[in-house]
Amino acid sequence: MSAPPTPGANRPIYLDNHATTPPDPRVLAAMRPWWEENFANPASVEHTLGRAAEEAVEAARAEIAALIGAEAREIVLTSGATESNNLAIKGAARFAASQAPDGSAAGLERRRIITVATEHKCVLESVRDLQAEGFEPVILPVGPDGLLNPEVLRAAVDERTLLVSVMAVNNEIGVVQDLPVLVAISKVSGALFHTDAAQAAGRIPLDVGAVPIDLLSLSAHKLYGPKGIGALYVRRRPRVRLAPLLSGGGQERGLRSGTLPAPLVVGFGEAARIARLEGTLDAGRIAGQRDRFLAALQAAVPGLQVNGHAERRVSGNLNLTFPGGADAQAIMAAAPGVCVSTGSACSSAAVEPSYVLRAIGLEEAAARATLRVGIGRFTSPAEVDRAAALLARAWESTVSRRAAE
């Protein structure tokens, strides 16, 4: 494994691998010929270059499928996890409505769509959007550890439930939901089960053959692939039916029209291949870096709090609340050499504190004192040591300045 190119000696330490990961050099190498040597449209199968592009796309699709134990024809390529989540939730709901006697949700016995308060915004907003179309959204709470209690789901799922959507790994606090148990509960009532696995793929094992998930969303740039490409797994047996969100040329078996970006698809396929072969090794190494970073920071910052379940979390995630009336934005400003965040990159413009942290019971002041740290494949021991020292120094300076005011 080789590290990505270094822009310069003063390059900031990147610890924001939940927002995005740097593309693996092997991914960049795989993509390059499809920008320069063969830029053909993969749908242009009438000529040699088009057919070659189509073959490359299909080989990549097979690698994406292999990462989650699926068949290649069950993979629908999209622009990313946001589109995949929208297609899964709205597509399933709207197809069901189209089969009702009156063609609307009002004529459905199954109109309930269940999700969780800590889901990504695109899932929560998709579920809420469907309320205007006659569906019944149900947003379930999580415990202080960020996990959904299976009994809470069991009480909510019944014969009226069309779809349950629970993310595999939370994008802020990194907790891993117990998908086998949650899927089994949902299946008892005959509901479909969708999971946003953008933060899970390549970090934890996923096997749709072993756990009968119906719909699963992926994003390449969360697993060292390119931005702008994702996928939705759609189970074939028993068949899951969706209404498309886009009208057009009928690509992706009519579920997602639009020209496929062959270089991005190829990059996604290579990233998936690497994750399948090296994911376990990655996770072990990253967990060691995380533990090293946390030990150093806890030694320098007494009272530092880790949010989310202590064990059921992905190896590179730490969600940390700093004590002493600290302000996370001030800590980041005082440590410009470290790239961390206060929460989801998709919600970073929001003024209010993270809704995920509020959902697990943090008060507003604590939520505003919280940083998300994402350690990744290319993080070195020297970087975690340096980052811990810089953040500890930044915390001390901001708390001291606040006390003096």
Side-chain angles (χ1 to χ4, degrees):
M1 180 188 69
S2 56
T6 303
N10 296 322
R11 173 173 171 260
I13 300 166
Y14 186 76
L15 299 180
D16 198 18
N17 283 280
H18 298 301
T20 194
T21 55
D24 191 291
R26 292 167 287 183
V27 169
L28 295 175
M31 293 169 62
R32 185 166 186 171
W34 303 97
W35 292 117
E36 297 177 345
E37 298 169 21
N38 184 351
F39 46 82
N41 187 328
S44 298
V45 293
E46 297 88 354
H47 55 69
T48 303
L49 291 180
R51 287 192 295 274
E54 182 196 35
E55 289 170 6
V57 163
E58 293 311 311
R61 192 192 305 274
E63 290 289 0
I64 297 164
L67 179 62
I68 61 170
E71 298 178 29
R73 54 186 171 174
E74 294 176 306
I75 299 298
V76 176
L77 296 165
T78 68
S79 63
T82 291
E83 183 185 346
S84 295
N85 288 336
N86 273 262
L87 177 58
I89 295 167
K90 295 177 181 176
R94 290 171 182 169
F95 179 82
S98 73
Q99 303 304 297
D102 62 355
S104 74
L108 288 176
E109 292 183 9
R110 293 184 180 271
R111 293 190 295 118
R112 176 172 289 184
I113 300 177
I114 298 174
T115 191
V116 181
T118 51
E119 291 291 310
H120 193 279
K121 280 283 190 184
C122 64
V123 168
L124 290 170
E125 293 304 316
S126 292
V127 172
R128 289 170 178 148
D129 286 348
L130 289 170
Q131 185 171 16
E133 299 179 30
F135 291 91
E136 177 193 356
V138 176
I139 314 296
L140 300 180
V142 296
D145 60 3
L147 297 177
L148 173 62
N149 185 330
E151 296 309 311
V152 171
L153 178 61
R154 197 185 308 277
V157 175
D158 58 21
E159 66 281 354
R160 297 170 294 170
T161 306
L162 173 66
L163 175 73
V164 175
S165 180
V166 181
M167 71 195 318
V169 170
N170 187 267
N171 55 307
E172 292 193 32
I173 57 176
V175 296
V176 181
Q177 300 288 353
D178 193 346
L179 289 188
V181 170
L182 301 178
V183 171
I185 291 170
S186 304
K187 292 297 178 182
V188 168
S189 73
L192 296 173
F193 192 95
H194 164 252
T195 188
D196 175 356
Q199 297 285 348
R203 293 181 171 131
I204 64 171
L206 295 168
D207 186 348
V208 296
V211 181
I213 294 164
D214 298 295
L215 298 155
L216 183 149
S217 301
L218 298 169
S219 184
H221 78 102
K222 304 295 189 182
L223 52 93
Y224 307 94
K227 298 175 183 67
I229 186 71
L232 177 65
Y233 159 77
V234 183
R235 180 173 289 280
R236 290 189 70 251
R237 293 190 181 92
R239 188 178 181 187
V240 176
R241 303 292 297 274
L242 304 176
L245 301 182
L246 303 176
S247 300
Q251 292 91 338
E252 297 302 282
R253 301 190 308 281
L255 288 176
R256 205 281 184 179
S257 292
T259 298
L260 289 175
L264 301 184
V265 178
V266 168
F268 191 1
E270 178 66 2
R273 185 191 69 82
I274 295 167
R276 177 171 55 83
L277 297 176
E278 302 179 7
T280 301
L281 180 64
D282 261 358
R285 182 177 57 250
I286 291 168
Q289 304 284 53
R290 176 199 64 196
D291 294 345
R292 178 180 180 134
F293 173 86
L294 181 60
L297 198 56
Q298 285 177 324
V301 183
L304 185 73
Q305 174 182 314
V306 180
N307 300 308
H309 196 282
E311 286 82 37
R312 290 192 60 85
R313 66 189 313 124
V314 287
S315 58
N317 175 272
L318 287 169
N319 190 277
L320 304 170
T321 300
F322 286 75
D327 179 80
Q329 296 285 349
I331 293 173
M332 288 193 296
V338 183
C339 297
V340 290
S341 63
T342 57
S344 170
C346 299
S347 303
S348 60
V351 176
E352 69 273 5
S354 161
Y355 68 90
V356 171
L357 298 181
R358 299 305 301 273
I360 64 173
L362 266 66
E363 297 294 333
E364 181 173 342
R368 291 188 184 279
T370 299
L371 290 176
R372 178 182 68 170
V373 176
I375 295 167
R377 179 180 294 170
F378 300 111
T379 308
S380 71
E383 285 180 316
V384 298
D385 292 346
R386 177 71 174 151
L390 289 172
L391 289 173
R393 191 182 308 158
W395 167 76
E396 187 174 8
S397 67
T398 56
V399 171
S400 298
R401 186 164 57 249
R402 182 183 178 91
E405 292 175 350

